[in-house]
């Protein structure tokens, strides 16, 4: 039971940090590279479509357990402290109000396009391989 409680607390902290980045990358004081990294992390975290779908047993959850925390850690280190403080205040207000995370359909579209491109590439490779080309 203790492990489950620790995992739940970790997930809650991670969710808060993603919201912090959501507000931080919108701050005009944030450096452009930190904005870019933060925007990518937030877009992936809020995307309704996963890069590796969760129904794939191990890798489906590992992308969420590894990629998002690493991205959050990197983006937080790149942000200036005053930007993070303002973003933390906004994130805490949003979470206290019980507002849901915004959906990032653009990021979801990019993931779907990446999967389609990979499927087309594999299909073309198989076609030429089977046709003796």
């Amino acid at each position: 039971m203790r492990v489950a409680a620790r995992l739940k607390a970790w997930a809650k902290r991670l969710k808060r940090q993603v919201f912090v980045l959501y507000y931080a990358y919108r701050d005009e004081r944030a450096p452009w590279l930190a904005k870019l990294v933060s925007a990518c992390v937030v877009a992936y975290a809020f995307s309704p479509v996963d890069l590796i779908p969760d129904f794939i047993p191990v890798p489906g959850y590992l992308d969420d357990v590894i990629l998002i925390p690493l991205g959050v850690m990197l983006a937080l280190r790149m942000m200036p402290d005053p930007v993070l403080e303002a973003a933390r205040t906004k994130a805490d207000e949003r979470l206290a109000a019980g507002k849901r995370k915004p959906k990032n359909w653009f990021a979801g579209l990019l993931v779907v396009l990446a999967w389609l491109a990979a499927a087309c590439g594999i299909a073309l490779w198989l076609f030429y391989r089977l046709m003796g080309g």
Side-chain angles (χ1 to χ4, degrees):
M1 182 71 176
R2 185 172 182 178
V3 173
R6 288 175 52 194
L7 284 174
K8 189 174 181 179
W10 175 79
K12 192 173 183 176
R13 282 192 309 271
L14 184 63
K15 180 180 178 182
R16 178 183 179 261
Q17 290 171 329
V18 171
F19 274 107
V20 168
L21 290 177
Y22 174 73
Y23 288 109
Y25 86 80
R26 295 167 165 235
D27 193 311
E28 61 190 30
R29 299 172 293 170
W32 72 270
L33 186 57
K35 283 184 180 191
L36 179 65
V37 171
S38 298
C40 290
V41 170
V42 169
Y44 183 74
F46 289 165
S47 172
V49 181
D50 279 346
L51 183 61
I52 302 171
D54 290 342
F55 66 80
I56 299 173
V58 175
Y61 288 107
L62 284 181
D63 71 329
D64 294 334
V65 174
I66 294 173
L67 290 179
I68 293 175
L70 287 176
V72 165
M73 186 175 61
L74 175 66
L76 287 174
R77 289 177 190 243
M78 297 174 79
M79 281 291 172
D81 287 335
V83 172
L84 287 176
E85 287 305 315
R88 284 184 183 115
T89 301
K90 290 178 184 177
D92 289 341
E93 288 171 1
R94 181 180 188 119
L95 291 170
K99 293 183 182 176
R100 295 172 45 156
K101 70 179 183 176
K103 296 263 190 255
N104 191 321
W105 290 103
F106 179 72
L109 176 65
L110 290 179
V111 170
V112 169
L113 290 175
W115 274 105
L116 287 174
C120 289
I122 291 169
L124 283 173
W125 178 80
L126 283 172
F127 176 76
Y128 285 116
R129 189 81 167 162
L130 295 174
M131 298 308 270

